[in-house]
Amino acid sequence: MNIFLSYANENSGIAEEIYFALVGSDHQVFFDKPSLMPADNYDQRLREAVEAADGLVFLISPSSVQAGRYTLTELKYARHKWPHPKNRVLPVIVQPTDIESIPAYLKAVTLLEPEGNIAAEVTEAVNNLVTHPPNARIKPTKDDKRQGILQQNGALFTVVLSSIVISVGLGTLFSFTYPTVPITLSLASLFVMASLLIVFTARRILKKISQIRNKRVLK
């Protein structure tokens, strides 16, 4: 994974530790010290590096969120590329920082507050971004497909069986109510249609009730 490491000069020591930890985990890291050449156009090189990155690690400190710092310029480039930081931007608190001074873009995701070794915890968090990339589509296995077919067939069987039972019930009720009226083919078809309508309506009501219950549980 190609990572852009954004930090203030005051945090260069911990940034370097994170850089080596990420490189040791087979990540490509844009770290301005080894990545920028003396003759490079600084702004253009930073913009290109962010555009080429798969993710950005932003080290939060009072210095990095201070107005006028290049870290905020780098964050602006990141926001332009990823309108939402989820699964793309990893904010890491490396020094106690006033929460009000932290950009809202960073606070849109969970801020990583390392409790032990910062470099190790940042590397683990970046590896999780690789394991769960944004918009990842999980390809269903053969067992998943087989299970899906069984569920569809089971649902169809339930609908058919329920319709038959209800149709027979309607026919029986009609015979008791109107014993002198014969049940014709058209009348039987009407019973079947009515039973299907009852079954599908009941299924929709049950599904709606289930959704309401799930929402209450989530709350």
Side-chain angles (χ1 to χ4, degrees):
M1 191 173 188
N2 191 354
I3 300 296
F4 186 100
L5 183 57
S6 179
Y7 66 98
N9 288 334
E10 290 82 352
N11 308 121
S12 59
I14 185 60
E16 193 167 10
E17 291 181 24
I18 293 172
Y19 166 76
F20 284 116
L22 290 173
V23 171
S25 292
D26 297 326
H27 296 292
Q28 294 180 334
V29 183
F30 182 91
F31 183 56
D32 58 4
K33 286 184 178 179
S35 302
L36 286 173
M37 301 298 292
D40 280 346
N41 182 315
Y42 198 75
D43 289 341
Q44 181 179 349
R45 187 71 180 89
L46 288 178
R47 183 190 295 270
E48 291 174 350
V50 173
E51 286 297 324
D54 300 310
L56 179 142
V57 174
F58 189 96
L59 305 188
I60 298 175
S61 68
S63 300
S64 67
V65 296
Q66 185 179 357
R69 300 303 292 261
Y70 254 106
T71 45
L72 296 183
T73 301
E74 294 163 356
L75 194 63
K76 182 183 72 173
Y77 295 153
R79 186 170 184 173
H80 180 266
K81 181 176 182 179
W82 306 299
H84 195 283
K86 183 179 180 181
N87 291 332
R88 289 298 190 180
V89 177
L90 176 64
V92 185
I93 298 179
V94 295
Q95 284 185 337
T97 306
D98 181 10
I99 191 68
E100 296 299 326
S101 66
I102 299 175
Y105 180 72
L106 294 176
K107 291 188 289 187
V109 292
T110 303
L111 305 179
L112 177 62
E113 300 184 64
E115 298 178 355
N117 185 281
I118 296 179
E121 293 190 31
V122 170
T123 301
E124 181 182 4
V126 170
N127 289 338
N128 287 334
L129 293 183
V130 177
T131 307
H132 305 288
N135 302 324
R137 294 184 178 181
I138 301 175
K139 187 176 181 180
T141 63
K142 290 183 178 180
D143 289 338
D144 293 334
K145 292 180 179 179
R146 188 180 299 111
Q147 186 67 24
I149 293 174
L150 290 175
Q151 289 178 350
Q152 290 178 355
N153 290 341
L156 180 61
F157 176 77
T158 301
V159 170
V160 172
L161 182 61
S162 301
S163 300
I164 292 174
V165 172
I166 294 175
S167 297
V168 172
L170 290 175
T172 303
L173 179 63
F174 184 86
S175 297
F176 275 112
T177 307
Y178 306 100
T180 59
V181 179
I183 298 179
T184 62
L185 181 61
S186 59
L187 192 57
S189 299
L190 183 62
F191 290 156
V192 172
M193 292 178 62
S195 64
L196 286 172
L197 180 61
I198 293 172
V199 170
F200 282 116
T201 302
R203 285 174 62 87
R204 291 187 64 179
I205 292 174
L206 291 174
K207 184 177 180 180
K208 191 67 176 178
I209 293 174
S210 178
Q211 290 175 345
I212 293 173
R213 286 179 177 175
N214 289 337
K215 287 182 180 179
R216 288 179 178 175
V217 170
L218 290 175
K219 290 180 180 179

